[in-house]
Amino acid sequence: MKAAKTSFACGNCGAIFRKWAGQCPECREWNSIHEQETPPVSPSTGYSGTLSTVQHISQVTLSDSPRIKTGMTELDRVLGGGLVRGSVVLVGGDPGIGKSTCLLQVSCQLSDKNKVLYVTGEESPQQIAMRAKRLRLPDRHLLLMAETQVENICATASVEQPQIMVIDSIQTMQTASTSSAPGSVSQVRESAAQLTQFAKLNNIAIFLVGHVTKTGDIAGPRVLEHIIDVVCYFEGNNDSRYRVMRAVKNRYGAVNELGVFAMTDSGLKEIHNPSAIFLNRYGKPMPGSAVMAIWEGSRPLLVEIQSLVDTSHSENSRRVTVGIDQNRLIMLLAILHRHGGIVSYNQDVFINVAGGVKVSETSADLALALSIISSLEDKPLPADLITFGELGLAGEIRPVPNGQERLKEAVKHGFKKAIIPKANAPLEKIDGLSVFPAEKLTDALEVFYQFPAAQ
Ligand code: TYD
Ligand code: MG
């Protein structure tokens, strides 16, 4: 008889190999490769399968299910306008960032009108009940269950028939269909796949909580993202009380939509006017500080960026960034040198985006460049100046989308001057705002040097 075929799988990243190795060549984890039996591959049966139905796209019946409002408008915004029935939402983030708190608040609010089942694999029902009591949440109708076996959860849920289910967390779940340890990649993947299938079959919306590992992925690799409808991450640093929730994948709405919250002693509170919190307004304008108008999802956000440019005493000058891509900074320094004559090879450059915000948009270029020059020249930018625009390698300032809305947001927050790409200049004058349109980096520098030094 032929021996059963075996292969070797990494318990951390799920990669499959033909040979054992001490270190996984994919994820570099040690001692994570274990032998497993390869399921027999059924021989090809040719075209003897049964026929599936094919229909025209216009004939597909659309069930008209309105989105369920979660009661938190910031979360609804991230979800693309509310929770969709039968969808699976993964909420990821560092331990202690506030995932359980957020979902408990949402579940309590939702349980008023919907049947909600909160499945906990980490905390005891007593701990959860205590938290709900302390936060004074409307918890009268919320159903709790302490369970980690996926089969039991699905069996209970098909009897209880909740409309919404929370699984806290997916790392604690296990299923009998795979024999690997709880928390391992195959358990997490298999459990998530079963729960997703259950959600689709029964039209139940499920929130899955997922812890982020030290490499920043949910459960090691991004094994879950392709089976789940909405993936959002809770971000924020531990010393700041602000938390940002960002959708990185959304089958029902825009990605990179941002929800802003503050963690207070009475739970998570929504911040409806986030621009106000990311502006670090001191009494006096400081050199190296610039305010930019970035675009997040479907709304503008005013954020302060700070630079510190200081003489370097080592052979290799340092370029340190927090909240912005380091390569972008290196590129901007090269543009500043080549097209603006600004020398920084003998300077250490440190960049920080206020409030722990991560900026990935190129419209931050101009603000970053101006803040570097401001620090280098030790000359503050006017406190009421807003700026945005992308810098091209030829020293040109490129337009960015939604220029008008960014300017309107700036005016709303009392800004009176704006250096912006020429192509974004408004056709009609905006009341109370002096616009300095710039076509090239040199135009923007000219405006900067014209501002009075002492203010
Ligand atoms: P939690 O939701 O348990 O985090 P996660 O589920 O993401 O691991 O949040 C725990 C943190 O939030 C903890 O450090 C304390 C803080 N917290 C508050 O500051 N205020 C509160 O009202 C609550 C409930 C938690
Ligand atoms: Mg938790």
Side-chain angles (χ1 to χ4, degrees):
M1 204 181 88
K2 229 170 136 187
K5 279 214 169 142
T6 57
S7 60
F8 296 84
C10 171
N12 184 50
C13 71
I16 309 271
F17 307 99
R18 286 173 61 191
K19 276 191 197 155
W20 185 85
Q23 186 187 23
C24 172
E26 290 290 327
C27 67
R28 308 257 143 226
E29 187 74 21
W30 287 94
N31 256 344
S32 60
I33 297 187
H34 302 285
E35 192 168 3
Q36 63 173 20
E37 223 163 81
T38 316
V41 180
S42 55
S44 165
T45 50
Y47 297 112
S48 61
T50 50
L51 292 183
S52 305
T53 31
V54 174
Q55 55 183 332
H56 205 272
I57 189 162
S58 56
Q59 291 161 353
V60 179
T61 44
L62 301 176
S63 60
D64 187 28
S65 66
R67 289 173 185 253
I68 310 168
K69 297 285 177 204
T70 60
M72 268 194 182
T73 42
E74 290 293 298
L75 179 64
D76 287 342
R77 168 192 292 281
V78 176
L79 295 176
L83 190 59
V84 177
R85 268 180 216 285
S87 70
V88 182
V89 180
L90 179 68
V91 179
D94 291 329
I97 195 103
K99 302 179 292 294
S100 305
T101 310
C102 173
L103 289 178
L104 181 64
Q105 286 179 232
V106 169
S107 314
C108 287
Q109 270 157 21
L110 281 172
S111 65
D112 209 25
K113 295 213 179 78
N114 306 276
K115 192 163 179 183
V116 186
L117 177 61
Y118 193 107
V119 183
T120 168
E122 288 189 354
E123 293 167 88
S124 66
Q126 285 89 338
Q127 279 174 306
I128 293 176
M130 249 163 61
R131 185 183 297 182
K133 194 142 265 107
R134 195 173 65 72
L135 300 182
R136 300 215 175 90
L137 297 175
D139 58 357
R140 270 176 305 139
H141 304 295
L142 182 66
L143 299 172
L144 277 184
M145 174 164 78
E147 182 60 75
T148 56
Q149 194 71 33
V150 175
E151 287 79 7
N152 297 354
I153 294 173
C154 293
T156 316
S158 40
V159 176
E160 289 285 340
Q161 302 211 323
Q163 282 138 330
I164 296 145
M165 206 153 73
V166 176
I167 309 286
D168 190 358
S169 67
I170 189 67
Q171 269 94 354
T172 55
M173 294 298 138
Q174 50 183 323
T175 152
S177 64
T178 164
S179 57
S180 47
S184 70
V185 171
S186 30
Q187 277 289 0
V188 168
R189 187 170 39 197
E190 210 38 55
S191 306
Q194 277 190 31
L195 287 166
T196 307
Q197 201 180 12
F198 182 77
K200 304 282 166 207
L201 282 177
N202 297 279
N203 211 18
I204 296 176
I206 298 188
F207 281 107
L208 296 179
V209 172
H211 293 294
V212 169
T213 61
K214 47 187 186 296
T215 49
D217 300 326
I218 292 177
R222 306 171 81 165
V223 284
L224 296 182
E225 290 190 359
H226 68 280
I227 45 173
I228 279 163
D229 302 310
V230 184
V231 180
C232 45
Y233 286 88
F234 243 127
E235 299 168 357
N237 38 8
N238 285 344
D239 43 347
S240 153
R241 63 196 197 101
Y242 297 113
R243 305 278 185 266
V244 171
M245 190 187 262
R246 189 192 293 273
V248 293
K249 168 183 173 179
N250 192 348
R251 286 187 178 146
Y252 311 107
V255 286
N256 283 331
E257 195 65 80
L258 210 78
V260 185
F261 303 88
M263 179 60 94
T264 66
D265 47 6
S266 53
L268 271 185
K269 292 265 178 309
E270 298 174 69
I271 309 261
H272 295 296
N273 182 8
S275 288
I277 61 158
F278 295 124
L279 293 179
N280 264 347
R281 303 269 93 195
Y282 304 102
K284 238 173 75 187
M286 311 254 216
S289 157
V291 180
M292 56 189 173
I294 54 172
W295 193 259
E296 286 291 350
S298 61
R299 64 178 166 181
L301 197 62
L302 306 184
V303 181
E304 183 182 328
I305 190 162
Q306 289 184 310
S307 298
L308 177 65
V309 182
D310 191 24
T311 316
S312 174
H313 294 288
S314 70
E315 254 173 49
N316 297 323
S317 46
R318 304 181 67 192
R319 274 87 180 90
V320 181
T321 59
V322 178
I324 218 151
D325 180 27
Q326 197 191 15
N327 287 331
R328 195 88 200 160
L329 169 67
I330 295 170
M331 198 182 87
L332 282 183
L333 291 175
I335 298 173
L336 283 177
H337 180 224
R338 185 72 170 69
H339 300 287
I342 288 151
V343 177
S344 60
Y345 67 87
N346 52 357
Q347 306 281 337
D348 287 334
V349 182
F350 303 92
I351 309 288
N352 180 39
V353 182
V357 186
K358 290 195 179 72
V359 180
S360 53
E361 227 206 347
T362 51
S363 71
D365 289 354
L366 190 56
L368 183 55
L370 286 173
S371 82
I372 291 169
I373 299 163
S374 158
S375 174
L376 193 66
E377 302 273 332
D378 202 22
K379 176 183 167 183
L381 290 159
D384 55 1
L385 174 79
I386 183 89
T387 153
F388 59 83
E390 179 182 337
L391 271 176
L393 289 182
E396 81 278 21
I397 298 179
R398 294 167 164 265
V400 295
N402 310 101
Q404 295 291 317
E405 286 87 346
R406 293 181 206 236
L407 288 176
K408 275 191 202 136
E409 177 80 1
V411 171
K412 217 166 75 188
H413 286 86
F415 287 86
K416 297 197 171 65
K417 303 183 183 76
I419 307 183
I420 59 166
K422 193 166 179 209
N424 279 123
L427 297 175
E428 283 174 27
K429 193 179 167 348
I430 300 177
D431 271 347
L433 186 74
S434 326
V435 175
F436 301 92
E439 206 169 6
K440 295 193 294 290
L441 175 65
T442 41
D443 301 339
L445 291 182
E446 214 170 282
V447 178
F448 169 76
Y449 288 116
Q450 272 171 14
F451 287 135
Q455 295 176 43

